[in-house]
Amino acid sequence: MNTLFDKIWDSHVVSAIDGGPQQLYIDRLYCHEVTSPQAFDGLRARGIGCLRPSKVVCIPDHNIPTHDQDKPIADPVSAAQVETLRRNASEFGLTYYGMMDPGNGIVHVVGPEKGLSLPGMTIVCGDSHTSTHGAVGAVAFGIGTSEVEMALASQCILQQKPKSMRISIGGRLGRGVTAKDMALFLMMKLSTSGATGYFVEYAGQAVSSLSMEGRLTLCNLSIEMGARGGFIAPDETTFEYLKGREYSPKGEDWDRAVEYWKTLRSGDDAVFDRELSFDASEISPMITYGTNPGMGMPIDGTIPSDASPKALAYMGLEAGRPLLGHKVDYVFLGACTNGRIEDFRAFASLVRGRRKADGVTAWLVPGSWAVKRQIEEEGLDRVLGEAGFEVRQPGCSACLAMNDDKIPEGKYAVSTSNRNFEGRQGPGSRTLLASPLTAAAAAVTGRVTDPRELL
């Protein structure tokens, strides 16, 4: 029996080159402002248009500021990139959610919340964290600029079919342990190259028990294990999340879609190229100490004795020592990893009745305007405000140093984003990746703190 990955992939193959790549049909292409300009220039140079404009959605997110979005972007490079995407979308007749549009946000947050990403689809974007959309039961992965041009021109791309891997996590996550901790645990175990060449299906009780927001976080981080992408078979949680969303099927079309989506699963006798199993009871709240997401440890542990000396020198840390109690300068809640409503609920639940620590700068950035509206509807903005926090406007923010939200050199940031590379959050910045609960604990104590102590 084929795996679910085989079912979706093979049903989208248009043609194949013997011993070479396959021509894969793409159901949805997302474009943001960073990786798409050259692709559109390529279409112009060839004198052709976009084959299926209705399948393409354009959203600026990387370069936009998270404050004063009603004013022109001050940075000329960022302003030019955002304006270029707007102009390209207009010229080629594509759906565009620009800055201040109620539909704007981070592309990997907006896609699922609008029902643009659906089970059984093939989804691509010129962005590695496109794997996020796999949480709805889609085959979703990042592509390069030349492939963005291919998809615009033909609604197809050339791809080598990856191998398949299933990672099963049994049992239930403990108190204070989140999907982010699950992902950081897997990276600690497998390293940042442990899933290279594979498409990962996540399974097991701990995975099926996750909310859709948690699943989006887990799939988002698949790429950080080296995987081509990651996904979760659709189930009742998926259907409940997608029902009634703007682009989801309606009425009888919805009923037919769900009947089909229920068939999207790996058979009991499906054969994977590699299978791994873990128990959720092994997973604690996690935090990184180094300069890639695989350099992680339980928050109450010590930095490994074999940790990279180069990474530790950059981070200003020492092997064999704990991170608990280490001073924190910045806290960032947001990104396509943890910028959803559940993440803000978690953060607010821990800071309720407490105050932001003196000396900590906190950036709380929703992943979309829809998330920001829900924060306000649920009164979370008041809870956060009383604790000394401010909710900013949507955008990629401090996930990467492409907008105003940069961590200064030498400063430590507990961040809910996805990468802790050297300079990722700003030249010389020092990033400790963690969950929203761990970020909240750091924000109210000013130090790396086990969130279980405050729950």
Side-chain angles (χ1 to χ4, degrees), residues 5 131 141 161-167 183 186-202 218-219 221-231 273-276 278 294:
F5 173 68
S131 57
F141 54 97
K161 185 180 180 182
K163 294 179 289 186
S164 61
M165 177 192 292
R166 179 162 61 189
I167 297 178
L186 291 175
M187 286 183 271
M188 177 185 72
K189 290 289 189 181
L190 299 180
S191 82
T192 51
S193 60
T196 299
Y198 292 91
F199 227 94
V200 176
E201 178 176 348
Y202 297 101
L218 179 61
C219 290
L221 288 158
S222 303
I223 190 73
E224 308 305 342
M225 296 188 298
R228 196 74 183 90
F231 67 99
D273 294 300
R274 190 181 181 194
E275 291 218 47
L276 297 171
F278 300 94

Side-chain angles (χ1 to χ4, degrees), residues 29 35-40 42-43 46 124-126 143-154 156-159:
L29 168 65
T35 55
S36 65
Q38 298 89 339
F40 286 107
L43 296 187
R46 294 156 65 191
V124 296
C125 175
I143 56 176
T145 298
S146 60
E147 293 164 316
V148 173
E149 184 181 339
M150 278 186 214
L152 288 167
S154 67
C156 294
I157 58 172
L158 287 173
Q159 283 287 294

Side-chain angles (χ1 to χ4, degrees), residues 59-199:
I59 305 175
D61 53 11
H62 283 54
N63 290 85
I64 64 178
T66 58
H67 56 85
D68 298 320
Q69 288 190 9
D70 56 330
K71 299 179 176 64
I73 298 174
D75 178 65
V77 174
S78 294
Q81 287 196 294
V82 172
E83 171 57 20
T84 298
L85 180 63
R86 185 203 64 77
R87 197 170 59 246
N88 284 331
S90 175
E91 179 181 339
F92 288 91
L94 309 178
T95 300
Y96 177 74
Y97 295 106
M99 200 166 65
M100 291 299 291
D101 187 299
N104 180 252
I106 303 171
V107 65
H108 307 313
V109 175
V110 172
E113 77 182 9
K114 281 189 169 293
L116 284 160
S117 300
L118 297 171
M121 278 185 166
T122 49
I123 300 170
V124 296
C125 175
D127 187 284
S128 56
H129 293 105
T130 308
S131 57
T132 309
H133 305 262
V136 302
V139 168
F141 54 97
I143 56 176
T145 298
S146 60
E147 293 164 316
V148 173
E149 184 181 339
M150 278 186 214
L152 288 167
S154 67
Q155 209 55 42
C156 294
I157 58 172
L158 287 173
Q159 283 287 294
Q160 290 285 158
K161 185 180 180 182
K163 294 179 289 186
S164 61
M165 177 192 292
R166 179 162 61 189
I167 297 178
S168 299
I169 305 172
R172 292 193 175 275
L173 295 174
R175 181 166 162 271
V177 182
T178 71
K180 180 64 165 290
D181 301 304
M182 184 187 288
L184 290 172
F185 170 84
L186 291 175
M187 286 183 271
M188 177 185 72
K189 290 289 189 181
L190 299 180
S191 82
T192 51
S193 60
T196 299
Y198 292 91
F199 227 94

